[in-house]
Amino acid sequence: MTSTPTATLRFDDVAVGDEITPVSIPVTYKRVCMNAASTWDWFPGHHDPEYARSQGQRTIYLSTLFFHGFIDRGLGDWAGPDALLRRRKISMIKSIYPGQTATLTGRVIGKREVNGTSLIDLELMVSSEEGPCVPSEATLQLPTG
């Protein structure tokens, strides 16, 4: 795992094509259940293996809220504490289960200024060992100078 940088990236320091620092996290039964508990997401697929299997899943699986938080954490680690998340969009195409590793990767696909606000657009992916799971997009506001 990485640690949060002490300095924030500046808009002028980022170029289209730059890759974010990848972040990986091991997925355990405890992590899946604790995430469900901490977000009050009591959908049974996130803590009851029998229910998850009745849905066609292998076992319990990570929740939508996990992916939102994981992406936010990865972007914060990369861009720093003064970056502001303006937009995040995810699509869940494949589950991630205990025993796998969730890995966030991404790259800058655009830079723009809107009404004096410096924005960067990113294309992101959360993957497991089995391949892409959660394609995502985000827009960060970065300080200038």
Side-chain angles (χ1 to χ4, degrees), residues 76-109:
D77 281 1
W78 174 69
D82 294 327
L84 179 63
L85 179 65
R86 289 293 189 172
R87 182 183 69 88
R88 178 193 342 95
K89 177 182 177 184
I90 73 169
S91 299
M92 296 169 48
I93 60 172
K94 193 178 216 181
S95 297
I96 298 181
Y97 304 102
Q100 295 183 318
T101 300
T103 300
L104 174 67
T105 57
R107 65 184 180 90
V108 177
I109 60 169

Side-chain angles (χ1 to χ4, degrees), residues 22-103:
V23 177
S24 293
I25 192 167
V27 179
T28 63
Y29 271 88
K30 181 177 180 179
R31 183 178 305 281
V32 175
C33 292
M34 293 298 289
N35 181 257
S38 67
T39 59
W40 291 46
D41 182 354
W42 293 117
F43 181 74
H46 305 312
H47 62 86
D48 181 342
E50 185 175 319
Y51 183 87
R53 283 190 291 276
S54 77
Q55 293 185 288
Q57 302 283 347
R58 287 181 221 160
T59 187
I60 63 174
Y61 50 92
L62 289 171
S63 72
T64 305
L65 293 171
F66 171 88
F67 293 114
H68 284 286
F70 184 54
I71 289 166
D72 293 358
R73 179 265 173 103
L75 291 174
D77 281 1
W78 174 69
D82 294 327
L84 179 63
L85 179 65
R86 289 293 189 172
R87 182 183 69 88
R88 178 193 342 95
K89 177 182 177 184
I90 73 169
S91 299
M92 296 169 48
I93 60 172
K94 193 178 216 181
S95 297
I96 298 181
Y97 304 102
Q100 295 183 318
T101 300
T103 300

Side-chain angles (χ1 to χ4, degrees), residues 9-32:
L9 285 177
R10 303 275 181 219
F11 183 73
D12 294 337
D13 296 332
V14 177
V16 171
D18 285 356
E19 293 187 6
I20 70 166
T21 305
V23 177
S24 293
I25 192 167
V27 179
T28 63
Y29 271 88
K30 181 177 180 179
R31 183 178 305 281
V32 175

Side-chain angles (χ1 to χ4, degrees), residues 121-139:
D121 297 308
L122 299 113
E123 177 181 77
L124 307 164
M125 180 62 72
V126 180
S127 301
S128 74
E129 295 83 350
E130 295 180 11
C133 299
V134 184
S136 308
E137 304 169 2
T139 300

